[in-house]
Amino acid sequence: MHTNPSLLTIAGSDSGGGAGIQADLKTFSMLGGFGSSVLTALTAQNTTAVKGIHPVPPEFVSLQLSTVLTDLTIRAAKTGMLFSESIIKAVSAGLLKRSFPLVVDPVCVAQSGARLLEESAVLAMQRDLFPMADLITPNIPEAELFTGMRIASAEDICAVAERLLSFG
């Protein structure tokens, strides 16, 4: 049995180690947490490119999530790359009865420019996951994508933030 707070990351695997599950678990450990994970996708990537994405079947995402939640007392969770509408639905359904804070990082594009969220999943993220979040952490391109607004000034940031809050 561990004594550090249990933290959960629900995200894709970055074979290059710089993002995704690998980065989250390193961060949790550095902050004194015990990290657990639910894999949503496997990627073949390095620091310059994403060469391939293999999504985990939504049923298996659900199984991972329910298995972790029935054994560990999760103190907080975060999402990362969820990739598809069906994976987002599996994750949101699995988190409906959670009793811990949820941070949603709506990962859409890799540093290299590769798309990490299917176009059809954008609405599912807004509809199914944003309302459950205690905090969302979009970067500027993600905030623009989810709101349909352009950020060019400080005033735009406030307007985009208001629009994001309107999702729940």
Side-chain angles (χ1 to χ4, degrees):
M1 191 75 161
H2 51 82
T3 58
N4 297 357
S6 293
L7 307 170
L8 173 62
T9 175
I10 305 166
S13 174
D14 173 0
S15 57
I21 292 279
Q22 288 84 346
D24 290 344
L25 292 174
K26 290 175 198 175
T27 301
F28 292 170
S29 181
M30 290 180 68
L31 295 172
F34 175 82
S36 57
S37 61
V38 171
L39 285 165
T40 59
L42 306 175
T43 66
Q45 67 180 304
N46 55 30
T47 61
T48 62
V50 176
K51 301 286 186 168
I53 299 172
H54 180 72
V56 173
E59 301 78 22
F60 195 72
V61 171
S62 293
L63 181 59
Q64 291 177 81
L65 184 54
S66 65
T67 302
V68 168
L69 294 178
T70 59
D71 180 48
L72 299 174
T73 303
I74 301 298
R75 298 283 301 275
K78 75 165 290 287
T79 67
M81 176 190 177
L82 299 179
F83 189 66
S84 71
E85 179 177 5
S86 57
I87 291 172
I88 290 168
K89 287 182 181 218
V91 168
S92 61
L95 292 174
L96 275 176
K97 296 181 182 176
R98 77 184 197 291
S99 59
F100 48 82
L102 176 64
V103 175
V104 173
D105 181 1
V107 174
C108 296
V109 179
Q111 291 272 346
S112 64
R115 182 107 186 175
L116 301 176
L117 183 70
E118 292 179 330
E119 189 66 39
S120 61
V122 172
L123 181 59
M125 180 84 68
Q126 291 170 320
R127 181 189 62 232
D128 300 332
L129 210 51
F130 283 3
M132 299 178 76
D134 293 284
L135 177 68
I136 60 173
T137 61
N139 60 30
I140 289 174
E142 292 163 349
E144 290 177 337
L145 172 70
F146 287 105
T147 62
M149 301 167 72
R150 175 124 168 80
I151 298 174
S153 68
E155 292 80 21
D156 294 342
I157 292 171
C158 292
V160 165
E162 287 294 325
R163 176 82 171 122
L164 289 169
L165 284 171
S166 76
F167 297 134

